[in-house]
Amino acid sequence: MVNGRSAGNGLAITGLSAGYGSVRVLEDISLGVSHAETVVLLGTNGNGKSTLMKCVMGMVRPSAGSIVAEIDGTSHDLIGRSTEEIVDLGIALVPEGRRLFPKLTVEENLLLGAFRPSARGAITANLDSCYETFPRLLERRRQLAGSMSGGEQQMLALGRALMSSPRILLIDEPSVGLAPILVSRTIEKIKELKDRFELTVLMAEQNFNQAVRIADRGYVIVHGQIAFEGRDADELNNNELVRKFYLGL
Ligand SMILES: Nc1ncnc2c1ncn2[C@@H]1O[C@H](COP(=O)(O)OP(=O)(O)O)[C@@H](O)[C@H]1O
Ligand SMILES: [Mg+2]
């Protein structure tokens, strides 16, 4: 995952609208993530965070707007591409609720993350790198994924995404269903991964306090629209909307 990485990865979403049938969920969303940045998309349940991530991954087709990814310095229009093509370009999603295969082992789950053609050649190196990053997964490599704790499963979901040698990592609510101490550890691990592999990260969260610990910048999404853009963690912490919705102040 580390070799051959060059600067020039990012995501530019402009005027994005999307929904399900006649239900409109995202309304004219514009946001960007620059190279090696961690940008958080903050929003409580049902505000459209997952829908936005699914649009980037080609799993939900937007009704308007553009999504352009820059991968190793080359721009790619993502609209109309299949999920497989998007993963192949170098974008990976760690989905909400992890979506592991509980009856497969840890290692089998990891190997399933390596279907990107260019990642197949790097399977051994990526697996080593995964085990180095998550020693717990090495200890548990033959254990069934479904028998692992929530925190371990989140590590596995992150590890599986790394197996596709991504440049851009989308992480959808990593804190969901985890005890507070594990949320904190998971967030720290994401920071470590980002630094180690120079990843460009877009993370959706409703756990404001945890997310903002590792955020370079962030957006607050309310009813499918960007309600506030914070240029740094301080701006997020001090915003009225955030204080009202997340901090109870
Ligand atoms: N597959 C779907 N079909 C219809 N409505 C959906 C579907 N997925 C999500 N929604 C609706 O879209 C809205 C946004 O959902 P979602 O993007 O999952 O929000 P979040 O991730 O912020 O909780 C919600 O009102 C939800 O009920
Ligand atoms: Mg969601």
Side-chain angles (χ1 to χ4, degrees):
M1 318 178 213
V2 218
N3 299 336
R5 175 131 321 154
S6 59
N9 298 308
L11 200 57
I13 297 178
T14 316
L16 189 74
S17 297
Y20 304 93
S22 60
V23 182
R24 300 183 66 114
V25 174
L26 301 179
E27 204 70 67
D28 195 22
I29 294 245
S30 295
L31 66 80
V33 189
S34 302
H35 185 77
E37 248 190 341
T38 297
V39 170
V40 291
L41 181 64
L42 300 161
T44 50
N45 249 337
N47 280 298
K49 303 182 299 299
S50 295
T51 302
L52 184 135
M53 300 227 155
K54 286 177 184 164
C55 286
V56 176
M57 296 309 295
M59 297 153 79
V60 167
R61 199 130 293 193
S63 54
S66 77
I67 307 177
V68 175
E70 192 188 351
I71 305 285
D72 296 337
T74 306
S75 285
H76 305 269
D77 183 351
L78 300 188
I79 302 286
R81 289 187 195 247
S82 69
T83 302
E84 200 168 9
E85 282 176 289
I86 291 168
V87 173
D88 200 28
L89 282 173
I91 306 176
L93 170 69
V94 183
E96 186 178 345
R98 350 244 189 259
R99 307 260 182 236
L100 299 168
F101 292 91
K103 298 232 156 80
L104 296 183
T105 65
V106 165
E107 188 152 300
E108 285 164 344
N109 270 278
L110 287 174
L111 293 174
L112 283 170
F115 71 89
R116 182 185 175 197
S118 54
R120 271 182 224 140
I123 276 191
T124 315
N126 280 351
L127 200 57
D128 286 351
S129 172
C130 244
Y131 286 146
E132 202 182 304
T133 315
F134 302 107
R136 192 67 168 207
L137 297 183
L138 178 61
E139 281 167 35
R140 304 279 165 112
R141 58 198 281 239
R142 298 194 197 289
Q143 190 174 320
L144 297 185
S147 68
M148 309 244 289
S149 73
E152 289 165 347
Q153 290 194 22
Q154 187 60 64
M155 298 303 157
L156 179 53
L158 286 164
R160 182 182 55 183
L162 294 176
M163 290 296 292
S164 68
S165 300
R167 301 314 196 242
I168 299 175
L169 191 60
L170 309 180
I171 312 175
D172 196 356
E173 289 210 46
S175 76
V176 157
L178 298 184
I181 176 75
L182 293 176
V183 173
S184 180
R185 272 191 217 143
T186 302
I187 292 290
E188 278 152 25
K189 210 62 182 178
I190 290 169
K191 166 97 170 81
E192 186 190 319
L193 288 182
K194 179 234 146 154
D195 293 343
R196 189 165 181 171
F197 302 116
E198 208 184 318
L199 290 169
T200 298
V201 176
L202 177 64
M203 179 171 80
E205 253 308 330
Q206 44 183 316
N207 188 327
F208 176 86
N209 285 315
Q210 288 293 340
V212 101
R213 283 173 58 204
I214 63 165
D216 293 311
R217 291 188 303 114
Y219 299 83
V220 177
I221 182 170
V222 180
H223 300 319
Q225 292 183 297
I226 299 297
F228 175 70
E229 178 181 348
R231 282 170 298 179
D232 54 37
D234 278 349
E235 274 199 10
L236 286 168
N237 270 312
N238 296 325
N239 177 257
E240 280 308 314
L241 201 69
V242 169
R243 292 165 72 84
K244 184 167 144 224
F245 277 113
Y246 296 93
L247 304 177
L249 300 171

